[in-house]
Amino acid sequence: MNSIRFVTPGEQSKYVAEEAARLLDSAITSRGQALLAVSGGKSPIGIFEILRTQSIAWGQVTICLVDERWVPPDHDRSNEKLVRVHLMQEKAAASKFISVYGAGSTPVEAAKVLSAKFIDSPALGSGVDVALLGMGEDGHTASWFPRSQQLGDCLSSSHAYAAVSAEEGRDPRVTMTLSAVANAKKIILCVEGEVKRAVLADAAGAGGVEQYPVRAVLRLPDNQAAIRVA
């Protein structure tokens, strides 16, 4: 993967937001619509709050989640709530959103429904235009956790989404699979802080994806993705 180093998180957020807007605008110009996949957590908030001010045809943008905890959309741990509060405001209020929690009555059902949409929906069928990923201090990205029961499914399934059961005190989740992420036209992996920087450097070396699932992304073709490190 290509790598760009930033001095501050603010510089990173500005660059990523403007780059994402440029890529979305290009997709809209070429096919009349764009699909943006975003992750949760605190790190993307700065990106979201800049991205929502960008002057693109937001009415032609559909936003989906890379992964979601199986909690109601008004829950403080909900990524949907995070996106609606911090991204789908100002100019981006005109965008459309695909809810994970609202897609089915269970994580398994929601994963099936969302995966079918990626085949049948004109808005989703051509794949994600921009995927914004983060990374945890344990080397996970999306909801691909080290040595989890569903890690194999997440990395090998041909479906777009997979259900992840509750382990080690985590909420059940629904996550994009490697197949869906790898099909994105551009992946931007954002990593902030010294601890995560060290994990990323370690993950860039030899070893299995079971230790650091983010390796599955790091090993994608160079022309597809870029690492943004603050």
Side-chain angles (χ1 to χ4, degrees):
M1 293 178 70
N2 300 315
S3 179
I4 300 177
R5 178 80 172 264
F6 296 92
V7 176
T8 68
E11 291 178 0
Q12 180 196 50
S13 294
K14 183 175 185 295
Y15 179 91
V16 172
E18 292 177 350
E19 178 70 358
R22 183 188 68 79
L23 293 165
L24 294 172
D25 188 56
S26 178
I28 293 167
T29 299
S30 64
R31 61 185 183 88
Q33 57 191 357
L35 179 60
L36 170 65
V38 299
S39 302
K42 294 180 180 179
S43 297
I45 290 176
I47 298 170
F48 291 167
E49 293 184 346
I50 297 172
L51 181 55
R52 73 191 194 188
T53 69
Q54 301 300 298
S55 297
I56 63 174
W58 281 104
Q60 306 307 116
V61 176
T62 298
I63 299 171
C64 63
L65 292 169
V66 172
D67 64 331
E68 175 65 292
R69 300 173 181 86
W70 197 249
V71 295
D74 59 352
H75 197 287
D76 287 343
R77 292 198 302 277
S78 167
N79 287 340
E80 177 173 341
K81 179 178 181 180
L82 182 85
V83 169
R84 290 190 182 279
V85 170
H86 294 285
L87 176 55
M88 298 179 70
Q89 304 289 333
E90 298 182 72
K91 294 176 181 177
S95 61
K96 297 175 282 291
F97 182 77
I98 298 173
S99 174
V100 170
Y101 190 83
S105 59
T106 67
V108 171
E109 182 182 343
K112 289 180 179 179
V113 170
L114 292 169
S115 294
K117 281 188 176 183
F118 266 71
I119 297 173
D120 298 333
S121 170
L124 309 183
S126 59
V128 173
D129 292 292
V130 183
L132 298 181
L133 302 181
M135 186 194 75
E137 293 182 0
D138 61 355
H140 86 267
T141 190
S143 284
W144 313 339
F145 294 101
R147 302 179 180 85
S148 71
Q149 294 179 14
Q150 280 83 36
L151 180 59
D153 289 340
C154 292
L155 300 183
S156 64
S157 175
S158 60
H159 299 296
Y161 281 86
V164 178
S165 62
E167 295 180 35
E168 299 179 4
R170 292 189 291 265
D171 296 305
R173 299 181 183 222
V174 176
T175 183
M176 275 189 173
T177 62
L178 175 60
S179 174
V181 172
N183 194 43
K185 297 172 184 65
K186 179 65 70 173
I187 301 166
I188 303 177
L189 174 63
C190 302
V191 179
E192 292 182 7
E194 293 295 338
V195 173
K196 290 185 179 182
R197 189 180 301 161
V199 171
L200 185 66
D202 197 20
V209 294
E210 297 82 6
Q211 180 187 12
Y212 295 129
V214 72
R215 282 177 169 149
V217 176
L218 297 179
R219 293 168 180 173
L220 291 173
D222 286 345
N223 64 347
Q224 183 179 27
I227 308 172
R228 316 301 185 194
V229 183

